[in-house]
Amino acid sequence: AVEHAVSTGTGGHGATPPNVTAAVGDAFTSGVHVGMTVVAAVFLCAALVSALLVRNRPHHITGTATATTN
């Protein structure tokens, strides 16, 4: 039933059978979970690279500073 629904784009002449609807829903949910896992892994790698490569450098003052005392 699932192969027929996928190959024709319909569930037949009537409504789509509940088992086909459930299979499509399960496949979609599984795909979203895999996609989110991949995105999380990429973001984690990017955060680690950023943490290792970004350094806080001290700022240098280029002018001459004079202290005035009264």
Side-chain angles (χ1 to χ4, degrees), residues 13-70:
H13 296 292
T16 305
N19 60 345
V20 173
T21 304
V24 170
D26 289 343
F28 178 76
T29 302
S30 177
V32 169
H33 284 151
V34 170
M36 289 295 168
T37 302
V38 170
V39 168
V42 169
F43 281 168
L44 179 63
C45 290
L48 289 174
V49 168
S50 297
L52 293 174
L53 296 180
V54 174
R55 300 198 191 280
N56 188 10
R57 296 184 184 129
H59 297 285
H60 296 287
I61 300 173
T62 58
T64 58
T66 58
T68 59
T69 57
N70 291 337

mmCIF file of all heavy atoms in Angstrom, residues 13-70:
data_model
loop_
_atom_site.group_PDB
_atom_site.id
_atom_site.type_symbol
_atom_site.label_atom_id
_atom_site.label_comp_id
_atom_site.label_asym_id
_atom_site.label_seq_id
_atom_site.Cartn_x
_atom_site.Cartn_y
_atom_site.Cartn_z
ATOM 1 N N HIS A 13 -8.376 5.407 -4.853
ATOM 2 C CA HIS A 13 -9.575 6.182 -5.189
ATOM 3 C C HIS A 13 -10.204 6.842 -3.967
ATOM 4 O O HIS A 13 -10.890 7.838 -4.087
ATOM 5 C CB HIS A 13 -10.617 5.283 -5.878
ATOM 6 C CG HIS A 13 -10.156 4.758 -7.197
ATOM 7 N ND1 HIS A 13 -9.964 5.581 -8.286
ATOM 8 C CD2 HIS A 13 -9.800 3.516 -7.595
ATOM 9 C CE1 HIS A 13 -9.535 4.860 -9.300
ATOM 10 N NE2 HIS A 13 -9.419 3.588 -8.906
ATOM 11 N N GLY A 14 -9.939 6.313 -2.812
ATOM 12 C CA GLY A 14 -10.527 6.875 -1.598
ATOM 13 C C GLY A 14 -9.491 7.594 -0.771
ATOM 14 O O GLY A 14 -8.476 8.085 -1.264
ATOM 15 N N ALA A 15 -9.777 7.655 0.501
ATOM 16 C CA ALA A 15 -8.862 8.309 1.427
ATOM 17 C C ALA A 15 -7.622 7.439 1.619
ATOM 18 O O ALA A 15 -7.648 6.235 1.404
ATOM 19 C CB ALA A 15 -9.559 8.534 2.762
ATOM 20 N N THR A 16 -6.554 8.067 2.022
ATOM 21 C CA THR A 16 -5.311 7.345 2.276
ATOM 22 C C THR A 16 -5.508 6.435 3.482
ATOM 23 O O THR A 16 -6.019 6.874 4.513
ATOM 24 C CB THR A 16 -4.173 8.338 2.553
ATOM 25 O OG1 THR A 16 -4.092 9.252 1.468
ATOM 26 C CG2 THR A 16 -2.852 7.625 2.700
ATOM 27 N N PRO A 17 -5.106 5.177 3.377
ATOM 28 C CA PRO A 17 -5.271 4.262 4.511
ATOM 29 C C PRO A 17 -4.492 4.740 5.734
ATOM 30 O O PRO A 17 -3.433 5.370 5.598
ATOM 31 C CB PRO A 17 -4.691 2.935 4.004
ATOM 32 C CG PRO A 17 -4.656 3.054 2.517
ATOM 33 C CD PRO A 17 -4.539 4.506 2.210
ATOM 34 N N PRO A 18 -4.988 4.457 6.909
ATOM 35 C CA PRO A 18 -4.329 4.932 8.130
ATOM 36 C C PRO A 18 -2.895 4.410 8.281
ATOM 37 O O PRO A 18 -2.036 5.122 8.805
ATOM 38 C CB PRO A 18 -5.205 4.409 9.263
ATOM 39 C CG PRO A 18 -6.487 4.011 8.646
ATOM 40 C CD PRO A 18 -6.240 3.766 7.197
ATOM 41 N N ASN A 19 -2.638 3.182 7.820
ATOM 42 C CA ASN A 19 -1.282 2.658 7.967
ATOM 43 C C ASN A 19 -0.296 3.415 7.072
ATOM 44 O O ASN A 19 0.863 3.590 7.426
ATOM 45 C CB ASN A 19 -1.225 1.158 7.703
ATOM 46 C CG ASN A 19 -1.687 0.788 6.307
ATOM 47 O OD1 ASN A 19 -2.308 1.593 5.614
ATOM 48 N ND2 ASN A 19 -1.408 -0.438 5.903
ATOM 49 N N VAL A 20 -0.749 3.887 5.911
ATOM 50 C CA VAL A 20 0.111 4.677 5.034
ATOM 51 C C VAL A 20 0.370 6.043 5.657
ATOM 52 O O VAL A 20 1.502 6.528 5.666
ATOM 53 C CB VAL A 20 -0.515 4.823 3.624
ATOM 54 C CG1 VAL A 20 0.287 5.791 2.769
ATOM 55 C CG2 VAL A 20 -0.633 3.473 2.957
ATOM 56 N N THR A 21 -0.659 6.648 6.193
ATOM 57 C CA THR A 21 -0.507 7.938 6.862
ATOM 58 C C THR A 21 0.455 7.819 8.044
ATOM 59 O O THR A 21 1.318 8.687 8.243
ATOM 60 C CB THR A 21 -1.875 8.452 7.344
ATOM 61 O OG1 THR A 21 -2.759 8.516 6.237
ATOM 62 C CG2 THR A 21 -1.761 9.824 7.974
ATOM 63 N N ALA A 22 0.343 6.738 8.801
ATOM 64 C CA ALA A 22 1.240 6.523 9.944
ATOM 65 C C ALA A 22 2.674 6.307 9.472
ATOM 66 O O ALA A 22 3.618 6.835 10.083
ATOM 67 C CB ALA A 22 0.761 5.330 10.762
ATOM 68 N N ALA A 23 2.868 5.569 8.388
ATOM 69 C CA ALA A 23 4.215 5.318 7.869
ATOM 70 C C ALA A 23 4.855 6.612 7.384
ATOM 71 O O ALA A 23 6.047 6.862 7.626
ATOM 72 C CB ALA A 23 4.167 4.290 6.747
ATOM 73 N N VAL A 24 4.083 7.451 6.704
ATOM 74 C CA VAL A 24 4.611 8.732 6.226
ATOM 75 C C VAL A 24 4.958 9.634 7.410
ATOM 76 O O VAL A 24 6.009 10.280 7.429
ATOM 77 C CB VAL A 24 3.605 9.417 5.273
ATOM 78 C CG1 VAL A 24 4.016 10.839 4.970
ATOM 79 C CG2 VAL A 24 3.471 8.615 3.997
ATOM 80 N N GLY A 25 4.113 9.655 8.414
ATOM 81 C CA GLY A 25 4.381 10.456 9.606
ATOM 82 C C GLY A 25 5.622 9.981 10.346
ATOM 83 O O GLY A 25 6.443 10.785 10.793
ATOM 84 N N ASP A 26 5.777 8.661 10.456
ATOM 85 C CA ASP A 26 6.968 8.116 11.116
ATOM 86 C C ASP A 26 8.232 8.437 10.328
ATOM 87 O O ASP A 26 9.272 8.766 10.909
ATOM 88 C CB ASP A 26 6.843 6.609 11.298
ATOM 89 C CG ASP A 26 5.816 6.228 12.349
ATOM 90 O OD1 ASP A 26 5.433 7.108 13.160
ATOM 91 O OD2 ASP A 26 5.392 5.049 12.354
ATOM 92 N N ALA A 27 8.173 8.341 9.010
ATOM 93 C CA ALA A 27 9.337 8.647 8.174
ATOM 94 C C ALA A 27 9.716 10.119 8.295
ATOM 95 O O ALA A 27 10.902 10.461 8.379
ATOM 96 C CB ALA A 27 9.049 8.291 6.712
ATOM 97 N N PHE A 28 8.711 10.992 8.313
ATOM 98 C CA PHE A 28 8.981 12.423 8.452
ATOM 99 C C PHE A 28 9.627 12.728 9.803
ATOM 100 O O PHE A 28 10.616 13.455 9.885
ATOM 101 C CB PHE A 28 7.686 13.223 8.293
ATOM 102 C CG PHE A 28 7.872 14.703 8.459
ATOM 103 C CD1 PHE A 28 8.445 15.455 7.455
ATOM 104 C CD2 PHE A 28 7.488 15.327 9.638
ATOM 105 C CE1 PHE A 28 8.630 16.815 7.610
ATOM 106 C CE2 PHE A 28 7.670 16.685 9.791
ATOM 107 C CZ PHE A 28 8.236 17.436 8.782
ATOM 108 N N THR A 29 9.068 12.158 10.862
ATOM 109 C CA THR A 29 9.607 12.378 12.206
ATOM 110 C C THR A 29 11.037 11.862 12.313
ATOM 111 O O THR A 29 11.907 12.530 12.881
ATOM 112 C CB THR A 29 8.718 11.687 13.256
ATOM 113 O OG1 THR A 29 7.398 12.201 13.139
ATOM 114 C CG2 THR A 29 9.224 11.926 14.661
ATOM 115 N N SER A 30 11.298 10.704 11.742
ATOM 116 C CA SER A 30 12.644 10.152 11.764
ATOM 117 C C SER A 30 13.613 11.045 11.000
ATOM 118 O O SER A 30 14.736 11.288 11.454
ATOM 119 C CB SER A 30 12.637 8.751 11.151
ATOM 120 O OG SER A 30 13.933 8.225 11.100
ATOM 121 N N GLY A 31 13.190 11.553 9.861
ATOM 122 C CA GLY A 31 14.037 12.454 9.078
ATOM 123 C C GLY A 31 14.343 13.747 9.811
ATOM 124 O O GLY A 31 15.473 14.243 9.766
ATOM 125 N N VAL A 32 13.367 14.295 10.503
ATOM 126 C CA VAL A 32 13.581 15.525 11.271
ATOM 127 C C VAL A 32 14.562 15.272 12.414
ATOM 128 O O VAL A 32 15.454 16.085 12.664
ATOM 129 C CB VAL A 32 12.243 16.089 11.800
ATOM 130 C CG1 VAL A 32 12.474 17.186 12.815
ATOM 131 C CG2 VAL A 32 11.409 16.612 10.648
ATOM 132 N N HIS A 33 14.432 14.136 13.080
ATOM 133 C CA HIS A 33 15.353 13.816 14.175
ATOM 134 C C HIS A 33 16.786 13.676 13.669
ATOM 135 O O HIS A 33 17.724 14.186 14.297
ATOM 136 C CB HIS A 33 14.921 12.545 14.891
ATOM 137 C CG HIS A 33 13.753 12.741 15.793
ATOM 138 N ND1 HIS A 33 12.848 11.746 16.067
ATOM 139 C CD2 HIS A 33 13.317 13.818 16.478
ATOM 140 C CE1 HIS A 33 11.916 12.199 16.883
ATOM 141 N NE2 HIS A 33 12.185 13.468 17.141
ATOM 142 N N VAL A 34 16.965 13.004 12.552
ATOM 143 C CA VAL A 34 18.304 12.848 11.983
ATOM 144 C C VAL A 34 18.855 14.211 11.574
ATOM 145 O O VAL A 34 20.022 14.536 11.835
ATOM 146 C CB VAL A 34 18.297 11.869 10.796
ATOM 147 C CG1 VAL A 34 19.613 11.901 10.054
ATOM 148 C CG2 VAL A 34 17.996 10.461 11.270
ATOM 149 N N GLY A 35 18.031 15.031 10.947
ATOM 150 C CA GLY A 35 18.466 16.367 10.542
ATOM 151 C C GLY A 35 18.876 17.223 11.721
ATOM 152 O O GLY A 35 19.900 17.921 11.679
ATOM 153 N N MET A 36 18.110 17.181 12.789
ATOM 154 C CA MET A 36 18.448 17.960 13.979
ATOM 155 C C MET A 36 19.724 17.452 14.641
ATOM 156 O O MET A 36 20.504 18.236 15.189
ATOM 157 C CB MET A 36 17.293 17.937 14.986
ATOM 158 C CG MET A 36 16.109 18.722 14.537
ATOM 159 S SD MET A 36 16.555 20.462 14.427
ATOM 160 C CE MET A 36 15.163 21.095 13.557
ATOM 161 N N THR A 37 19.955 16.145 14.599
ATOM 162 C CA THR A 37 21.188 15.584 15.156
ATOM 163 C C THR A 37 22.393 16.066 14.368
ATOM 164 O O THR A 37 23.428 16.439 14.942
ATOM 165 C CB THR A 37 21.123 14.046 15.153
ATOM 166 O OG1 THR A 37 19.986 13.634 15.916
ATOM 167 C CG2 THR A 37 22.369 13.431 15.745
ATOM 168 N N VAL A 38 22.276 16.099 13.048
ATOM 169 C CA VAL A 38 23.372 16.584 12.203
ATOM 170 C C VAL A 38 23.633 18.064 12.472
ATOM 171 O O VAL A 38 24.779 18.491 12.617
ATOM 172 C CB VAL A 38 23.064 16.336 10.710
ATOM 173 C CG1 VAL A 38 24.051 17.047 9.807
ATOM 174 C CG2 VAL A 38 23.049 14.844 10.419
ATOM 175 N N VAL A 39 22.587 18.866 12.564
ATOM 176 C CA VAL A 39 22.738 20.298 12.834
ATOM 177 C C VAL A 39 23.392 20.513 14.197
ATOM 178 O O VAL A 39 24.286 21.355 14.346
ATOM 179 C CB VAL A 39 21.368 21.009 12.752
ATOM 180 C CG1 VAL A 39 21.443 22.418 13.307
ATOM 181 C CG2 VAL A 39 20.879 21.044 11.322
ATOM 182 N N ALA A 40 22.983 19.751 15.200
ATOM 183 C CA ALA A 40 23.580 19.886 16.533
ATOM 184 C C ALA A 40 25.064 19.539 16.505
ATOM 185 O O ALA A 40 25.883 20.220 17.145
ATOM 186 C CB ALA A 40 22.844 18.991 17.529
ATOM 187 N N ALA A 41 25.429 18.501 15.761
ATOM 188 C CA ALA A 41 26.840 18.114 15.664
ATOM 189 C C ALA A 41 27.658 19.197 14.968
ATOM 190 O O ALA A 41 28.776 19.520 15.394
ATOM 191 C CB ALA A 41 26.968 16.788 14.922
ATOM 192 N N VAL A 42 27.105 19.786 13.911
ATOM 193 C CA VAL A 42 27.820 20.855 13.201
ATOM 194 C C VAL A 42 27.990 22.068 14.107
ATOM 195 O O VAL A 42 29.073 22.670 14.164
ATOM 196 C CB VAL A 42 27.078 21.226 11.898
ATOM 197 C CG1 VAL A 42 27.632 22.503 11.284
ATOM 198 C CG2 VAL A 42 27.151 20.079 10.901
ATOM 199 N N PHE A 43 26.953 22.448 14.818
ATOM 200 C CA PHE A 43 27.051 23.594 15.730
ATOM 201 C C PHE A 43 28.045 23.326 16.858
ATOM 202 O O PHE A 43 28.782 24.223 17.273
ATOM 203 C CB PHE A 43 25.687 23.955 16.309
ATOM 204 C CG PHE A 43 24.814 24.743 15.376
ATOM 205 C CD1 PHE A 43 23.475 24.920 15.662
ATOM 206 C CD2 PHE A 43 25.307 25.311 14.214
ATOM 207 C CE1 PHE A 43 22.660 25.660 14.814
ATOM 208 C CE2 PHE A 43 24.501 26.039 13.357
ATOM 209 C CZ PHE A 43 23.177 26.212 13.670
ATOM 210 N N LEU A 44 28.082 22.112 17.378
ATOM 211 C CA LEU A 44 29.031 21.773 18.422
ATOM 212 C C LEU A 44 30.465 21.885 17.902
ATOM 213 O O LEU A 44 31.329 22.456 18.580
ATOM 214 C CB LEU A 44 28.772 20.366 18.953
ATOM 215 C CG LEU A 44 29.719 19.879 20.046
ATOM 216 C CD1 LEU A 44 29.584 20.755 21.285
ATOM 217 C CD2 LEU A 44 29.419 18.437 20.388
ATOM 218 N N CYS A 45 30.706 21.381 16.706
ATOM 219 C CA CYS A 45 32.045 21.499 16.107
ATOM 220 C C CYS A 45 32.416 22.965 15.893
ATOM 221 O O CYS A 45 33.556 23.367 16.160
ATOM 222 C CB CYS A 45 32.105 20.741 14.789
ATOM 223 S SG CYS A 45 32.041 18.952 14.993
ATOM 224 N N ALA A 46 31.484 23.770 15.421
ATOM 225 C CA ALA A 46 31.755 25.190 15.205
ATOM 226 C C ALA A 46 32.044 25.901 16.524
ATOM 227 O O ALA A 46 32.933 26.752 16.596
ATOM 228 C CB ALA A 46 30.574 25.851 14.502
ATOM 229 N N ALA A 47 31.346 25.540 17.589
ATOM 230 C CA ALA A 47 31.594 26.147 18.893
ATOM 231 C C ALA A 47 32.970 25.767 19.419
ATOM 232 O O ALA A 47 33.689 26.605 19.974
ATOM 233 C CB ALA A 47 30.508 25.721 19.887
ATOM 234 N N LEU A 48 33.359 24.520 19.233
ATOM 235 C CA LEU A 48 34.685 24.090 19.684
ATOM 236 C C LEU A 48 35.788 24.788 18.909
ATOM 237 O O LEU A 48 36.777 25.247 19.491
ATOM 238 C CB LEU A 48 34.819 22.574 19.548
ATOM 239 C CG LEU A 48 34.005 21.749 20.530
ATOM 240 C CD1 LEU A 48 34.101 20.263 20.185
ATOM 241 C CD2 LEU A 48 34.466 21.998 21.945
ATOM 242 N N VAL A 49 35.641 24.896 17.600
ATOM 243 C CA VAL A 49 36.636 25.584 16.782
ATOM 244 C C VAL A 49 36.714 27.052 17.190
ATOM 245 O O VAL A 49 37.804 27.614 17.320
ATOM 246 C CB VAL A 49 36.309 25.437 15.281
ATOM 247 C CG1 VAL A 49 37.148 26.374 14.440
ATOM 248 C CG2 VAL A 49 36.527 23.997 14.840
ATOM 249 N N SER A 50 35.583 27.678 17.404
ATOM 250 C CA SER A 50 35.569 29.078 17.824
ATOM 251 C C SER A 50 36.249 29.254 19.174
ATOM 252 O O SER A 50 37.028 30.189 19.374
ATOM 253 C CB SER A 50 34.134 29.599 17.917
ATOM 254 O OG SER A 50 33.526 29.576 16.658
ATOM 255 N N ALA A 51 35.972 28.366 20.108
ATOM 256 C CA ALA A 51 36.570 28.470 21.432
ATOM 257 C C ALA A 51 38.087 28.293 21.381
ATOM 258 O O ALA A 51 38.816 28.914 22.157
ATOM 259 C CB ALA A 51 35.953 27.437 22.371
ATOM 260 N N LEU A 52 38.563 27.465 20.469
ATOM 261 C CA LEU A 52 39.996 27.223 20.387
ATOM 262 C C LEU A 52 40.744 28.293 19.588
ATOM 263 O O LEU A 52 41.911 28.567 19.865
ATOM 264 C CB LEU A 52 40.257 25.852 19.760
ATOM 265 C CG LEU A 52 39.804 24.656 20.596
ATOM 266 C CD1 LEU A 52 39.977 23.372 19.805
ATOM 267 C CD2 LEU A 52 40.563 24.590 21.904
ATOM 268 N N LEU A 53 40.106 28.891 18.615
ATOM 269 C CA LEU A 53 40.797 29.812 17.719
ATOM 270 C C LEU A 53 40.630 31.283 18.069
ATOM 271 O O LEU A 53 41.470 32.094 17.688
ATOM 272 C CB LEU A 53 40.358 29.575 16.274
ATOM 273 C CG LEU A 53 40.714 28.209 15.689
ATOM 274 C CD1 LEU A 53 40.214 28.107 14.258
ATOM 275 C CD2 LEU A 53 42.204 27.950 15.763
ATOM 276 N N VAL A 54 39.582 31.649 18.736
ATOM 277 C CA VAL A 54 39.357 33.053 19.068
ATOM 278 C C VAL A 54 40.120 33.369 20.345
ATOM 279 O O VAL A 54 39.953 32.712 21.365
ATOM 280 C CB VAL A 54 37.850 33.349 19.247
ATOM 281 C CG1 VAL A 54 37.632 34.763 19.729
ATOM 282 C CG2 VAL A 54 37.119 33.122 17.945
ATOM 283 N N ARG A 55 40.967 34.370 20.253
ATOM 284 C CA ARG A 55 41.777 34.756 21.417
ATOM 285 C C ARG A 55 41.493 36.223 21.745
ATOM 286 O O ARG A 55 41.327 37.047 20.860
ATOM 287 C CB ARG A 55 43.248 34.572 21.119
ATOM 288 C CG ARG A 55 43.594 33.148 20.793
ATOM 289 C CD ARG A 55 45.080 32.915 20.937
ATOM 290 N NE ARG A 55 45.482 31.639 20.398
ATOM 291 C CZ ARG A 55 45.349 30.489 21.032
ATOM 292 N NH1 ARG A 55 44.793 30.456 22.211
ATOM 293 N NH2 ARG A 55 45.763 29.367 20.486
ATOM 294 N N ASN A 56 41.502 36.523 23.022
ATOM 295 C CA ASN A 56 41.303 37.882 23.471
ATOM 296 C C ASN A 56 42.676 38.549 23.547
ATOM 297 O O ASN A 56 43.483 38.241 24.411
ATOM 298 C CB ASN A 56 40.616 37.895 24.836
ATOM 299 C CG ASN A 56 40.218 39.284 25.244
ATOM 300 O OD1 ASN A 56 40.278 40.213 24.437
ATOM 301 N ND2 ASN A 56 39.806 39.443 26.485
ATOM 302 N N ARG A 57 42.924 39.444 22.647
ATOM 303 C CA ARG A 57 44.213 40.140 22.609
ATOM 304 C C ARG A 57 44.084 41.469 23.344
ATOM 305 O O ARG A 57 43.082 42.164 23.206
ATOM 306 C CB ARG A 57 44.625 40.384 21.158
ATOM 307 C CG ARG A 57 44.865 39.100 20.416
ATOM 308 C CD ARG A 57 45.369 39.379 19.018
ATOM 309 N NE ARG A 57 45.504 38.116 18.315
ATOM 310 C CZ ARG A 57 45.002 37.872 17.136
ATOM 311 N NH1 ARG A 57 44.332 38.804 16.489
ATOM 312 N NH2 ARG A 57 45.161 36.702 16.574
ATOM 313 N N PRO A 58 45.111 41.862 24.083
ATOM 314 C CA PRO A 58 45.040 43.150 24.786
ATOM 315 C C PRO A 58 45.079 44.302 23.786
ATOM 316 O O PRO A 58 45.724 44.214 22.741
ATOM 317 C CB PRO A 58 46.273 43.152 25.683
ATOM 318 C CG PRO A 58 47.180 42.129 25.103
ATOM 319 C CD PRO A 58 46.329 41.134 24.374
ATOM 320 N N HIS A 59 44.381 45.346 24.104
ATOM 321 C CA HIS A 59 44.350 46.523 23.241
ATOM 322 C C HIS A 59 45.578 47.379 23.514
ATOM 323 O O HIS A 59 45.992 47.567 24.655
ATOM 324 C CB HIS A 59 43.076 47.341 23.484
ATOM 325 C CG HIS A 59 41.844 46.593 23.142
ATOM 326 N ND1 HIS A 59 41.436 46.378 21.856
ATOM 327 C CD2 HIS A 59 40.914 45.985 23.922
ATOM 328 C CE1 HIS A 59 40.318 45.683 21.852
ATOM 329 N NE2 HIS A 59 39.977 45.425 23.106
ATOM 330 N N HIS A 60 46.174 47.903 22.463
ATOM 331 C CA HIS A 60 47.342 48.765 22.609
ATOM 332 C C HIS A 60 46.909 50.217 22.435
ATOM 333 O O HIS A 60 46.167 50.553 21.520
ATOM 334 C CB HIS A 60 48.401 48.424 21.561
ATOM 335 C CG HIS A 60 48.942 47.047 21.721
ATOM 336 N ND1 HIS A 60 49.800 46.700 22.736
ATOM 337 C CD2 HIS A 60 48.742 45.916 21.003
ATOM 338 C CE1 HIS A 60 50.104 45.420 22.634
ATOM 339 N NE2 HIS A 60 49.469 44.915 21.593
ATOM 340 N N ILE A 61 47.389 51.073 23.316
ATOM 341 C CA ILE A 61 47.093 52.498 23.226
ATOM 342 C C ILE A 61 48.195 53.117 22.387
ATOM 343 O O ILE A 61 49.383 52.974 22.670
ATOM 344 C CB ILE A 61 47.025 53.143 24.616
ATOM 345 C CG1 ILE A 61 45.924 52.478 25.423
ATOM 346 C CG2 ILE A 61 46.825 54.632 24.500
ATOM 347 C CD1 ILE A 61 45.858 52.916 26.866
ATOM 348 N N THR A 62 47.823 53.804 21.312
ATOM 349 C CA THR A 62 48.821 54.326 20.363
ATOM 350 C C THR A 62 49.244 55.746 20.662
ATOM 351 O O THR A 62 50.234 56.215 20.135
ATOM 352 C CB THR A 62 48.274 54.233 18.932
ATOM 353 O OG1 THR A 62 47.054 54.966 18.868
ATOM 354 C CG2 THR A 62 48.022 52.797 18.538
ATOM 355 N N GLY A 63 48.535 56.480 21.463
ATOM 356 C CA GLY A 63 48.904 57.874 21.740
ATOM 357 C C GLY A 63 49.733 57.947 23.006
ATOM 358 O O GLY A 63 49.952 56.981 23.719
ATOM 359 N N THR A 64 50.265 59.149 23.255
ATOM 360 C CA THR A 64 51.004 59.362 24.512
ATOM 361 C C THR A 64 50.046 59.911 25.527
ATOM 362 O O THR A 64 49.327 60.875 25.281
ATOM 363 C CB THR A 64 52.175 60.343 24.294
ATOM 364 O OG1 THR A 64 51.659 61.565 23.803
ATOM 365 C CG2 THR A 64 53.205 59.754 23.360
ATOM 366 N N ALA A 65 50.015 59.301 26.622
ATOM 367 C CA ALA A 65 49.137 59.728 27.693
ATOM 368 C C ALA A 65 49.935 60.521 28.704
ATOM 369 O O ALA A 65 50.991 60.115 29.147
ATOM 370 C CB ALA A 65 48.475 58.528 28.367
ATOM 371 N N THR A 66 49.459 61.690 29.029
ATOM 372 C CA THR A 66 50.134 62.514 30.027
ATOM 373 C C THR A 66 49.232 62.635 31.226
ATOM 374 O O THR A 66 48.043 62.877 31.105
ATOM 375 C CB THR A 66 50.478 63.903 29.480
ATOM 376 O OG1 THR A 66 49.266 64.533 29.057
ATOM 377 C CG2 THR A 66 51.435 63.802 28.332
ATOM 378 N N ALA A 67 49.796 62.457 32.346
ATOM 379 C CA ALA A 67 49.030 62.593 33.593
ATOM 380 C C ALA A 67 49.197 63.997 34.119
ATOM 381 O O ALA A 67 50.299 64.517 34.195
ATOM 382 C CB ALA A 67 49.520 61.574 34.614
ATOM 383 N N THR A 68 48.131 64.603 34.423
ATOM 384 C CA THR A 68 48.198 65.945 35.016
ATOM 385 C C THR A 68 47.817 65.854 36.476
ATOM 386 O O THR A 68 46.841 65.197 36.839
ATOM 387 C CB THR A 68 47.266 66.901 34.274
ATOM 388 O OG1 THR A 68 45.934 66.398 34.342
ATOM 389 C CG2 THR A 68 47.671 67.062 32.832
ATOM 390 N N THR A 69 48.597 66.495 37.280
ATOM 391 C CA THR A 69 48.292 66.525 38.718
ATOM 392 C C THR A 69 48.128 67.971 39.135
ATOM 393 O O THR A 69 48.844 68.872 38.675
ATOM 394 C CB THR A 69 49.428 65.874 39.538
ATOM 395 O OG1 THR A 69 50.647 66.540 39.267
ATOM 396 C CG2 THR A 69 49.520 64.401 39.234
ATOM 397 N N ASN A 70 47.234 68.210 39.965
ATOM 398 C CA ASN A 70 46.997 69.562 40.470
ATOM 399 C C ASN A 70 47.472 69.705 41.860
ATOM 400 O O ASN A 70 47.474 69.069 42.737
ATOM 401 C CB ASN A 70 45.543 69.962 40.367
ATOM 402 C CG ASN A 70 45.127 70.155 38.908
ATOM 403 O OD1 ASN A 70 45.974 70.402 38.071
ATOM 404 N ND2 ASN A 70 43.854 70.017 38.677
#
